[in-house]
Amino acid sequence: MKKSTAVHVKGTANSGGDIKIDLQLNKDSVGDKIWMRFSKSLTKKAGLPAKAAAMVNDKWVSLDSGPGS
């Protein structure tokens, strides 16, 4: 992961219910940030409260630490 410049994983996972996945990891111009876009099915499966899920559903969120860090 550290040497990759971009990774894109898209599909549907079935683990007790369908979860849509669309994960893109790209080096950005702001530094070593990892960005993730949360789907409604992912936040529901993760058990996030509705208020918290509404804050991240269908939005790109910067993660403080990512894979390989």
Side-chain angles (χ1 to χ4, degrees):
M1 290 295 289
K2 286 183 178 183
K3 293 182 181 182
S4 298
T5 56
V7 176
H8 186 188
V9 178
K10 185 175 183 176
T12 303
N14 187 318
S15 177
D18 288 344
I19 299 173
K20 292 181 182 178
I21 299 168
D22 189 355
L23 175 64
Q24 296 182 48
L25 303 173
N26 299 294
K27 288 195 174 189
D28 64 13
S29 59
V30 207
D32 294 330
K33 290 189 179 182
I34 301 288
W35 295 85
M36 181 173 176
R37 187 173 186 174
F38 291 84
S39 67
K40 291 178 185 177
S41 59
L42 177 62
T43 56
K44 181 178 179 179
K45 183 70 174 177
L48 260 73
K51 205 172 201 179
M55 293 173 64
V56 296
N57 281 341
D58 298 321
K59 296 183 178 127
W60 288 100
V61 178
S62 172
L63 307 176
D64 291 332
S65 62
S69 59

